Amino acid sequence: KKKKKTVWQLVKGDRVAATKALQRPTTLFAIAMHWLAATGSAVASAGAGLLAYVGLRARTGPFFTVGQGVAAAPAVKGGGTCHDPVFAPVHRAFQENFAKGLEVGAQLNIHVAGRCVLDVWGAIDHPTTKTYGPNTMQVVFSSTKNATAICIALLVERGLLSYDDPISKHWPEFAQKGKDNITVADLMRHESGVWTFTPRQSMSLVGDPEALGEHIAGHAPMFDVYVDPLECPEGSTPRCYHAITRGLIASQLLRRVDPQRRRLGVFFREEIAEKLGIEFHIGTLPRSRLDEVVPQVEHPLSYTICRKVLPYKLGLLPQPFRGAYEQVTSKTAPVVKQPFPMVVNGKPSFNTEMFYLSEMPSAGGLASARDIGKLCGAMANGGTIDGVQMLKEETVEQALAKPVTRYDAFISPLVYGDPTTMSQGGFGVYPASDRLDGHGPPGWVGFGGFGGSMFVWHREKRVGFAYAMNGMDEEMLRSERMQNIWAALTPIVEALPSYSKPQSQASKL
């Protein structure tokens, strides 16, 4: 009787009871067997069995094997070194994520004051991870934006650019259609107005720098973007995250001020990556090495349906996930208006050879967490690591100066409607009051990438945190796996001594 009542509550629309029922697969299997025995109805039994599967799938990690009423964690391989026992809890949290079915292949690297304290990796038995290891490269999406910002900072350090310069000062054609007063800082803060291309272009355009430059220069800014009137504060001017275009524009700008006229990917390789001894490619990977890149793996459709689609349709999906779901299923939201097709020949464009080989300085970097770790370790340590000065400390501080907080028409609907804070050099700034229930951990700067990669550092504690993976999770920083890691990391970081001055205060617009 109790089990029949549970199903009746589910059918009648009792959301609390429905949620609990969906999370009790054993109860629902019992109902299925009860109905079959009592009524002989295979349809009723199959229906209850389906609900049981939904409940089981929704309660497991996305990369579990689920079937016949059980969920199994896959076999795991891994390795690496924890150089400082203080960070052992973070290592354990990382390992537990594999046991919970939250990872496919992943790497984690942490530096403190220029010294590596944790460098670990793991991978489940999966078709994409046969050769996965500590140096395996994968697409790190918007974590690449930090590499682009480092290149621009180096140009500023050398006196070739100023953040206050209008872009048209160095690229006169860019002034077309009202873009004459857009500054370098505007671009780096995602406020140039050229946040996508209309109409959408073929990705082959990226391979023709001259044609790409002409297209960008002749494109009108789009400041009148789609904004949810219930979330954007009245009278405020929104920014719109340049998911792809910021790096394309930055590369065109760099070509015009660099004495050698290099594109950004080549500049980064020669001026940054090779000097630090890292593999981080932005359109510079030789075609002969394509097999060294592991493809990204999205959540199985069954998991997405059970964990996201059905709860959304039943009105059970909480914010921010409800807002994120509404954004990606919208036809007008900025998140779906990308400059290039997201699907090519039936598969995600980010898993294609063209994507790997194209210079996409906003989203196409190929790297491991070990390589990202050197970069964010250097940024955390005042621009220097292993005796190599990547940037002067004053250059790092200048790049992080003048942070501005605005509502972002692209990102804010995905993060509780919160505004974003961007420095003049193009780095995200996470306020000290902003913990995991906002967009980031307290006191950190940097950025992460679609699917979950992270490239952030703590200025006061001089901690660099790098994470890369090929098992995607659209919840990114709020994902269960990252919250597990951050729950272990936060008290350790808070106990470390402070090395540098406090962050700049952000202005709100």
Side-chain angles (χ1 to χ4, degrees), residues 87-102:
F87 287 84
V90 183
H91 187 193
R92 286 194 295 271
F94 177 76
Q95 292 174 313
E96 289 167 2
N97 283 341
F98 287 91
K100 294 176 180 177
L102 302 174

Side-chain angles (χ1 to χ4, degrees), residues 108 140 180 267 276 279 318 334 454:
L108 178 62
V140 295
D180 49 309
F267 180 91
L276 292 181
E279 291 266 11
M454 292 296 294

Side-chain angles (χ1 to χ4, degrees), residues 19 83 130 135 177 217 310 332 405-406 419 450 479:
T19 303
H83 298 283
K130 300 300 183 184
N135 296 309
K177 298 186 179 179
L310 286 179
T332 57
T405 300
R406 287 184 187 269
F450 176 55
S479 67

Side-chain angles (χ1 to χ4, degrees), residues 374-392:
K374 271 240 184 145
L375 290 169
C376 57
M379 293 298 284
N381 198 42
T384 299
I385 193 166
D386 294 340
V388 178
Q389 185 182 74
M390 181 177 72
L391 296 171
K392 296 177 181 177

